[in-house]
């Protein structure tokens, strides 16, 4: 599906979608438990992959007709061997988190995904599971899916790099809690995307599981049980998805845009509020009521490190293409290993729209002062974050911007274009 967006303004109120990161973790935590009800989940292509994995391991998942709750009957820390492969589709979070689950059962599980997912690195996690005496191999012996995992790990100590994906750490902590001996994680490099591990620790605590950061890395005791207070868990709003709405407000909301469900949490991508503030956006965050109001503003380029907030790079790049001066996005090499190489994708597609962009291995530099965005056809790269960022750019580009493959917003923000339309954007399907 292609979407065409004409230069237009937005205004009104929009509710932020539920957090994808929290939903993944909560659904799997409910699977590790005897069961739980996950309230206000994000129901998307990615989170449905995690739901299917919980069912493959012997749990059951019931989604309410209005998608307001997911009722999970869990496998109580003892996953079954799946009857078939686990297809994680395009969800890297699913694959990494449930790969560690696979190592808890004695037999073998096969995990795979689509072409994009089969190109993403899994080697450090496989190596960590082998250190725990698990069976963990890539069928092509290249550290990429399809993966074959099992062995019935009991826990122990592992060394693992922290600069490839924080999801490896999350996977080990979640599985380690129900292992017999627990898992001690020694990070051999600096941890990238550390706020995502903070999210994991928060969700674990909400499910009654103790895990902690140590001098060497992280640790979780074994023999624990997952059980949220009252049997329920409420998913907060998603700041990663919220970033597109806030960017749209800062670029095109002459009369203001209010984003609701913006309550503080451990999400690193809440940094978008500070980034917009630093760029000069007219913005106010009512934290008590979870409301952020933002209006069209004259923005100025800044330097932003995305070591801990990789998902914000496409949004920041779009803002930089409209801002005065230079926007330098640093610490970005790990952003190349997402659904697509997001550094190259934003450099190439924004250039197609008339932006002046310089790409380096670890940086993306956007010269807003030399950029004049014009509508054209740009490729969504089958990446939800690229699609939404380019769509926001289309709001302020001269003429019409067509984004190809726009259906991939289903991964994290299924009704994104409906929301834009409701705010007054000129959206053609």
């Amino acid at each position: 599906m292609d979407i065409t967006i004409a230069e237009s303004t937005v205004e009104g109120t929009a509710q932020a979608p539920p957090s994808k990161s929290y939903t993944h973790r909560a659904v799997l935590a409910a699977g590790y438990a005897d069961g739980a009800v996950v309230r206000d989940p994000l129901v998307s292509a990615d989170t449905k992959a995690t739901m299917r994995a919980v069912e493959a391991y012997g749990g059951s998942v019931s989604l309410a007709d209005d998608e307001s709750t997911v009722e999970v009957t869990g496998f109580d820390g003892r996953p079954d061997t799946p009857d078939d492969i686990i297809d994680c589709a395009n969800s890297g979070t699913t694959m990494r988190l449930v790969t560690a689950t696979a190592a808890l059962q004695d037999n073998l599980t096969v995990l795979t995904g689509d072409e994009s997912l089969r190109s993403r690195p899994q080697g450090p996690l496989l190596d960590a599971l082998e250190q725990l005496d698990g069976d963990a191999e890539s069928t092509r012996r290249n550290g990429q899916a399809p993966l074959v995992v099992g062995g019935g790990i009991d826990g122990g100590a592992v060394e693992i790099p922290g600069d490839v994906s924080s999801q490896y750490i999350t996977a080990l902590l979640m599985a380690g809690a129900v292992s017999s001996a627990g898992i001690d994680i020694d990070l051999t490099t600096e941890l990238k995307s550390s706020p995502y591990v903070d999210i994991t620790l928060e969700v674990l605590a909400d499910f009654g599981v103790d895990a902690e950061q140590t001098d060497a890395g992280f640790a979780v005791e074994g023999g624990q049980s997952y059980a949220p207070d009252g049997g329920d868990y409420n998913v907060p709003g998603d700041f990663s998805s919220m970033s597109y709405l806030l960017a749209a407000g800062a670029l095109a909301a002459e009369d203001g845009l209010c984003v609701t469900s913006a309550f503080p949490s451990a999400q690193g991508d809440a940094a978008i509020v500070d980034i917009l503030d630093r760029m000069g956006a007219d913005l106010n965050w009512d934290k008590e009521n979870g409301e952020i109001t933002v209006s069209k503003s004259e923005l100025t380029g800044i330097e932003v490190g995305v070591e801990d907030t990789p998902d914000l790079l496409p949004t920041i790049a779009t803002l930089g293409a409209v801002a005065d001066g230079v926007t330098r996005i640093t610490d970005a090499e790990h952003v190349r290993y997402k659904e697509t190489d997001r550094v190259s994708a934003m450099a190439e597609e924004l250039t197609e729209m008339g932006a002046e962009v310089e790409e380096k291995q670890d940086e993306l530099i956007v010269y807003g002062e030399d950029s004049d965005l014009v509508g054209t056809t740009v490729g969504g790269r089958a990446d939800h974050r690229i699609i939404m960022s380019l769509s926001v750019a289309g709001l302020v580009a001269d003429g019409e911007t067509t984004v190809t493959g726009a259906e991939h917003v289903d991964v994290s923000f299924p009704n994104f274009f409906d929301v834009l339309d409701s705010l007054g954007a000129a959206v053609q399907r």
Side-chain angles (χ1 to χ4, degrees):
M1 176 181 71
D2 296 346
I3 288 286
T4 298
I5 297 179
E7 185 176 7
S8 49
T9 61
V10 295
E11 64 176 333
T13 300
Q15 182 173 354
S19 167
K20 183 160 75 85
S21 297
Y22 279 84
T23 300
H24 276 300
R25 288 159 176 78
V27 169
L28 183 57
Y32 277 125
D34 182 55
V37 176
V38 179
R39 300 192 180 278
D40 300 320
L42 176 72
V43 180
S44 69
D46 273 20
T47 59
K48 285 180 179 178
T50 297
M51 295 176 201
R52 291 195 302 271
V54 167
E55 292 185 316
Y57 287 127
S60 66
V61 176
S62 177
L63 180 63
D65 290 341
D66 62 358
E67 300 187 343
S68 62
T69 62
V70 177
E71 187 171 349
V72 180
T73 300
F75 45 82
D76 200 18
R78 295 180 292 277
D80 293 342
T81 300
D83 293 333
D84 201 348
I85 66 169
I86 293 181
D87 183 358
C88 301
N90 187 241
S91 179
T93 304
T94 302
M95 172 160 282
R96 286 163 178 164
L97 268 57
V98 308
T99 289
T101 313
L104 293 167
Q105 47 87 49
D106 293 331
N107 300 311
L108 297 176
T109 297
V110 179
L111 305 102
T112 191
D114 66 10
E115 182 178 4
S116 172
L117 188 54
R118 294 195 306 273
S119 70
R120 296 174 68 178
Q122 316 295 345
L125 179 56
L126 298 178
D127 179 66
L129 295 174
E130 288 186 330
Q131 292 177 51
L132 297 170
D133 296 326
D135 299 319
E137 295 188 36
S138 159
T139 60
R140 294 176 289 165
R141 301 189 186 282
N142 63 354
Q144 298 171 354
L147 310 178
V148 180
V149 181
I153 62 171
D154 295 322
V158 301
E159 293 185 345
I160 189 169
D163 59 352
V164 181
S165 175
S166 65
Q167 292 167 355
Y168 304 151
I169 313 306
T170 290
L172 293 168
L173 290 174
M174 294 191 75
V178 296
S179 68
S180 58
I183 296 178
D184 290 318
I185 302 169
D186 183 356
L187 295 177
T188 59
T189 69
E190 182 182 1
L191 178 63
K192 294 288 183 76
S193 304
S194 61
Y196 288 97
V197 182
D198 293 337
I199 289 173
T200 301
L201 295 176
E202 182 181 316
V203 172
L204 288 175
D206 287 339
F207 274 80
V209 171
D210 292 326
E212 63 179 352
Q213 187 168 7
T214 65
D215 291 341
F218 296 88
V220 61
E221 292 185 3
Q224 299 191 65
S225 297
Y226 283 78
D229 188 27
D232 290 2
Y233 178 83
N234 292 284
V235 176
D238 189 283
F239 275 89
S240 304
S241 296
M242 209 181 302
S243 74
Y244 313 110
L245 300 176
L246 297 175
L251 298 182
E254 293 182 352
D255 295 323
L257 172 64
C258 179
V259 179
T260 63
S261 294
F263 293 98
S265 71
Q267 296 173 72
D269 284 351
I272 188 62
V273 179
D274 178 63
I275 290 167
L276 281 167
D277 183 64
R278 290 173 55 204
M279 296 183 83
D282 179 5
L283 177 149
N284 180 68
W285 186 5
D286 180 348
K287 295 182 179 180
E288 183 176 350
N289 292 307
E291 296 180 350
I292 302 175
T293 304
V294 60
S295 301
K296 183 177 179 179
S297 312
E298 295 295 328
L299 302 180
T300 303
I302 60 173
E303 181 171 319
V304 183
V306 293
E307 178 181 15
D308 292 331
T309 56
D311 287 344
L312 291 183
L313 181 140
T315 312
I316 300 166
T318 293
L319 293 167
V322 182
D324 290 333
V326 179
T327 296
R328 183 183 296 269
I329 307 172
T330 65
D331 301 311
E333 184 170 6
H334 60 311
V335 190
R336 296 184 181 277
Y337 306 108
K338 296 292 184 176
E339 283 85 336
T340 188
D341 179 341
R342 289 177 177 160
V343 180
S344 288
M346 289 306 295
E348 293 167 7
E349 302 303 338
L350 285 177
T351 297
E352 283 291 315
M353 295 184 72
E356 186 70 26
V357 183
E358 181 181 357
E359 178 187 351
K360 297 184 178 182
Q361 183 63 26
D362 195 34
E363 294 184 1
L364 187 65
I365 307 168
V366 186
Y367 299 93
E369 57 195 2
D370 299 323
S371 300
D372 188 11
L373 296 184
V374 294
T376 187
T377 298
V378 289
R381 311 291 182 104
D383 187 320
H384 54 130
R385 304 208 184 280
I386 301 299
I387 294 163
M388 288 186 278
S389 296
L390 294 174
S391 298
V392 171
L395 292 173
V396 292
D398 184 22
E400 294 185 338
T401 300
T402 298
V403 184
T404 64
E407 69 274 8
H408 291 283
V409 296
D410 284 352
V411 165
S412 63
F413 199 159
N415 65 334
F416 175 70
F417 293 108
D418 292 332
V419 171
L420 275 190
D421 183 69
S422 73
L423 294 171
V427 179
Q428 302 174 36
R429 290 170 172 80

